[in-house]
Amino acid sequence: MSDGLDPSWWNLSLSLGTEAIPPLLPELIAAALAILGAMAEALHARRVARVAHLAFGPRRRPAAWAVAAPVFRVLSLAALAWGFTTLILEPPTVHGQIELPDRQKRHILLLLDVSPSMRLKDAGPEGNQTRRRRAAELMESFFERVPISQALVSIVAFYNGAKPVVVDSRDLEVIRNILNDLPLEQAFPTGRTTLFTALEEAAAIAKPWNPKSALVVIVTDGDTVPAQGMPVLPASVRDVVIVGVGDPRVGSFIGGRQSRQDVSTLRSLAARLNGTYHDGNAKQIPTALLAEVIGVEESGIFERLTRRDYALIALGAGGLTLAGLPWLLHRFGTRWRPGVPSPERRPRPLVPDDA
């Protein structure tokens, strides 16, 4: 090739991959530079000792804090060496949530009640929302607080049957559209709500997934839940959260009967599924509950720092110390000030000149 990069150089760079780099290379370079810096400081201290009376006055020693200046310089050089080497070797940080391969992602399986009773307006903190609208708000808040980029979302709509709407979706806008706009109840004939059919469909969808990789979220008003015939969920289901919507105290008439959120039935259903019940009529799903069922613990600030973050901290601390230490030594390294004092700083005579 007459122009451009030489391919032999590129092949050489590929041969020197990360496998050829020692894992503790930044630490080794920092230690080597610290040793060289300590040797240089020792040589410098010997030379300063010869002219100590010129640098520090008759007392021949600096201020007490200035004795530690060589240590600060050596540590700063080591911090800079470790920080720069770490930034060169570490891969760049991807800000935001980490993308995982599909086989490692968690699954969120939403069972959404779309029966006509979900159109009743008795939900929300003020009781002026439909149950379907309240369910959409609850799930919107849910998806805002979970690591959605690490999960695949599936939705099963149920009424007097169950139909999968979307399976393993990554598009949050599609999920929002399903929750807010689609008239899913029109896909079912008129009848009574059968929640267990949705659980059977969910079990069939979740069966091939990895063990304990799925969270099942059931959003319903729970007004028609049978007392027996519970389907068995597969080993892929990590946890189950049942979210109730609708007024749990005052019911509304629909289809010749009174419909309200049946709290006791939903609590019993959650216990039978080894899951958790939450009354979502007035409150959002708690963040602590989300962290528990999703399996993502809230980490402290130091636990969230990466190796690159510590390298940046080391660079900042080391550079600031090296830059500021000469000025501090100049101003506060010794109290001795050589030279003739200025007229303003000359001591006043005890006897006036004209006396």
Side-chain angles (χ1 to χ4, degrees), residues 141-212:
S141 173
F142 172 89
F143 288 124
E144 287 178 353
R145 289 179 289 153
V146 300
I148 193 62
S149 67
Q150 301 179 21
L152 299 172
V153 181
S154 304
I155 297 180
V156 174
F158 66 92
Y159 174 18
N160 60 348
K163 296 181 183 295
V165 183
V166 64
V167 177
D168 286 348
S169 175
R170 304 179 183 85
D171 194 339
L172 192 56
E173 293 303 320
V174 172
I175 306 302
R176 290 193 179 102
N177 181 63
I178 294 172
L179 293 174
N180 290 287
D181 300 328
L182 288 185
L184 296 173
E185 69 275 6
Q186 298 181 8
F188 300 91
T190 303
R192 294 180 65 85
T193 305
T194 56
L195 174 58
F196 285 179
T197 306
L199 288 174
E200 293 173 356
E201 185 68 30
I205 294 175
K207 186 176 181 179
W209 294 342
N210 293 332
K212 295 187 180 301

Side-chain angles (χ1 to χ4, degrees), residues 10-21:
W10 177 250
N11 294 332
L12 177 61
S13 64
L14 290 179
S15 63
L16 297 177
T18 56
E19 295 81 0
I21 300 177

Side-chain angles (χ1 to χ4, degrees), residues 83-105:
F84 278 122
T85 310
T86 300
L87 291 181
I88 292 173
L89 298 180
E90 286 292 312
T93 300
V94 179
H95 295 281
Q97 296 176 340
I98 302 175
E99 286 288 344
L100 298 176
D102 287 354
R103 65 180 182 276
Q104 298 181 10
K105 286 190 175 183

Side-chain angles (χ1 to χ4, degrees), residues 39-348:
M39 295 172 59
E41 289 293 341
L43 179 61
H44 179 66
R46 290 180 56 186
R47 293 179 176 179
V48 170
R50 300 174 184 174
V51 292
H53 59 284
L54 296 178
F56 309 120
R59 301 179 62 181
R60 300 177 59 86
R61 61 177 180 270
W65 74 270
V67 178
V71 178
F72 289 135
R73 277 194 293 264
V74 171
L75 293 178
S76 299
L77 289 173
L80 288 173
W82 181 83
F84 278 122
T85 310
T86 300
L87 291 181
I88 292 173
L89 298 180
E90 286 292 312
T93 300
V94 179
H95 295 281
Q97 296 176 340
I98 302 175
E99 286 288 344
L100 298 176
D102 287 354
R103 65 180 182 276
Q104 298 181 10
K105 286 190 175 183
R106 299 178 178 90
H107 297 268
I108 299 175
L109 181 52
L110 172 61
L111 307 185
L112 181 63
D113 189 348
V114 296
S115 62
S117 62
M118 293 291 288
R119 297 294 181 182
L120 295 175
K121 186 179 289 188
D122 63 350
E126 305 297 331
N128 57 357
Q129 293 179 300
T130 65
R131 299 175 184 178
R132 179 71 182 276
R133 179 58 196 164
R134 181 59 180 172
E137 285 189 358
L138 290 169
M139 296 312 300
E140 180 72 23
S141 173
F142 172 89
F143 288 124
E144 287 178 353
R145 289 179 289 153
V146 300
I148 193 62
S149 67
Q150 301 179 21
L152 299 172
V153 181
S154 304
I155 297 180
V156 174
F158 66 92
Y159 174 18
N160 60 348
K163 296 181 183 295
V165 183
V166 64
V167 177
D168 286 348
S169 175
R170 304 179 183 85
D171 194 339
L172 192 56
E173 293 303 320
V174 172
I175 306 302
R176 290 193 179 102
N177 181 63
I178 294 172
L179 293 174
N180 290 287
D181 300 328
L182 288 185
L184 296 173
E185 69 275 6
Q186 298 181 8
F188 300 91
T190 303
R192 294 180 65 85
T193 305
T194 56
L195 174 58
F196 285 179
T197 306
L199 288 174
E200 293 173 356
E201 185 68 30
I205 294 175
K207 186 176 181 179
W209 294 342
N210 293 332
K212 295 187 180 301
S213 64
L215 168 67
V216 175
V217 181
I218 306 173
V219 183
T220 179
D221 51 17
D223 61 344
T224 55
V225 177
Q228 57 185 1
M230 175 70 65
V232 178
L233 296 180
S236 59
V237 176
R238 172 189 175 92
D239 212 331
V240 178
V241 176
I242 300 177
V243 182
V245 292
D247 195 322
R249 296 176 297 275
V250 180
S252 302
F253 281 95
I254 182 173
R257 63 183 179 85
Q258 191 180 51
S259 172
R260 64 180 178 87
Q261 182 192 164
D262 194 340
V263 176
S264 61
T265 301
L266 292 180
R267 287 186 186 276
S268 174
L269 179 63
R272 292 160 66 185
L273 291 171
N274 294 323
T276 306
Y277 162 75
H278 172 70
D279 182 5
N281 196 60
K283 295 182 180 180
Q284 299 286 348
I285 304 175
T287 302
L289 175 60
L290 294 183
E292 178 181 354
V293 298
I294 291 293
V296 177
E297 300 293 337
E298 185 68 20
S299 57
I301 183 172
F302 292 105
E303 297 176 358
R304 294 195 296 268
L305 293 178
T306 63
R307 188 176 175 90
R308 288 181 61 90
D309 295 326
Y310 285 113
L312 292 173
I313 294 174
L315 287 175
L320 183 62
T321 302
L322 284 182
L325 196 58
W327 181 83
L328 292 174
L329 289 173
H330 174 70
R331 295 298 302 269
F332 309 106
T334 179
R335 294 183 179 180
W336 184 59
R337 294 294 181 264
V340 179
S342 61
E344 294 81 5
R345 298 178 57 185
R346 290 178 182 176
R348 294 184 179 181

